[in-house]
Amino acid sequence: MRLLLVEDDPLLGDGIESGLKQAGFTVDWARDGHAAQLALDTTEYELVVLDIGLPRVSGLDVLQQLRRRGNDLPVLLLTARDTVRDRVAGLDAGADDYLVKPFDLSELVARVRALLRRAHGRSAAVIRYGDMELSPDTMCVTRGSEQIQLSARECAVLTDLLEHRGTALSRARLEESLYGWNEEVESNAVEVHVHNLRKKLGNELIKTIRGVGYLIRKETP
């Protein structure tokens, strides 16, 4: 899943970016509020990690503009100011969660995962489909007593298709969720990931819709 990180502190931003990537997320890092607005105008994200104290345009202004446009993208606010008034202002502006600096990176990752589950209508940490359970946190698929380990990008493709089951996702759409600004995309990268998933999980799970993309069908009631 592709996230937008908006943080002007280079040391903190580098740590957050590395931690989120290690957790399996694709991360674009904007260093000021104006860059964040441009990124949100041009790219589809699953969630924003947004610092309040930003140069050029404040984090609250970025958030308020996002909500005025009717965009309900989950937003996790970061701030160094730990007062009730600051927290209330952020939540009233439309934030979904709030984290005060300094914080533990594992807590940030856990809050991001919780917000993403909520955004997709899930309360459990696993995604269930037929006899299969996918844990995006551990990048592992369980079938009965069998556990199948996935790579970060295999897990990202499978998660995306399961979260949008019944809808065909194009190769370009999957590439956007897998690769950030500074990452080069190989021409057949998505095909390779789908091929590997089929080898691990069976050929029937992911369907190819010719001229459209890839699909996991909705389960029959």
Side-chain angles (χ1 to χ4, degrees):
M1 291 187 176
R2 191 168 183 174
L3 314 182
L4 177 64
L5 166 63
V6 193
E7 172 58 63
D8 64 313
D9 184 308
L11 187 61
L12 180 59
D14 185 64
I16 295 173
E17 181 186 40
S18 297
L20 289 172
K21 285 183 175 180
Q22 282 188 343
F25 297 108
T26 299
V27 183
D28 290 340
W29 178 12
R31 270 74 167 181
D32 63 64
H34 180 64
Q37 289 175 325
L38 290 176
L40 290 165
D41 285 342
T42 57
T43 307
E44 184 176 344
Y45 294 102
E46 293 281 344
L47 180 143
V48 183
V49 178
L50 178 64
D51 185 29
I52 288 182
L54 296 170
R56 303 184 72 183
V57 180
S58 77
L60 285 182
D61 286 341
V62 172
L63 175 58
Q64 288 169 342
Q65 182 190 59
L66 192 69
R67 297 305 188 228
R68 281 197 298 268
R69 294 163 58 182
N71 191 324
D72 60 358
L73 188 69
V75 175
L76 172 60
L77 279 185
L78 306 178
T79 182
R81 294 173 288 185
D82 185 18
T83 68
V84 172
R85 185 171 65 180
D86 289 328
R87 292 197 297 272
V88 169
L91 294 170
D92 281 348
D96 298 276
D97 201 356
Y98 206 100
L99 201 53
V100 177
K101 303 175 185 178
F103 51 81
D104 191 274
L105 188 58
S106 62
E107 181 180 1
L108 171 68
V109 171
R111 287 175 181 263
V112 165
R113 286 172 171 158
L115 287 174
L116 289 170
R117 288 197 299 269
R118 194 181 309 158
H120 288 281
R122 289 191 290 115
S123 57
V126 298
I127 303 173
R128 295 179 175 86
Y129 184 84
D131 65 344
M132 179 180 79
E133 288 187 354
L134 168 66
S135 171
D137 299 357
T138 61
M139 305 177 200
C140 184
V141 169
T142 301
R143 275 181 165 166
S145 60
E146 181 184 15
Q147 290 193 329
I148 304 161
Q149 194 64 46
L150 306 178
S151 72
R153 283 183 172 148
E154 289 167 2
C155 182
V157 169
L158 183 58
T159 300
D160 217 358
L161 290 170
L162 285 171
E163 297 282 25
H164 298 89
R165 67 191 74 173
T167 300
L169 302 182
S170 69
R171 185 180 75 174
R173 162 67 176 74
L174 290 168
E175 285 175 349
E176 284 184 0
S177 68
L178 288 174
Y179 297 94
W181 290 335
N182 299 318
E183 297 176 291
E184 185 176 349
V185 184
E186 296 181 13
S187 60
N188 64 339
V190 170
E191 287 87 346
V192 169
H193 297 317
V194 170
H195 173 74
N196 291 338
L197 285 168
R198 285 170 171 161
K199 283 180 65 177
K200 292 180 178 182
L201 304 174
N203 289 325
E204 297 305 311
L205 178 63
I206 301 174
K207 307 294 183 183
T208 300
I209 309 301
R210 191 174 299 276
V212 180
Y214 298 99
L215 167 77
I216 291 180
R217 300 191 190 280
K218 289 185 177 180
E219 294 176 277
T220 304

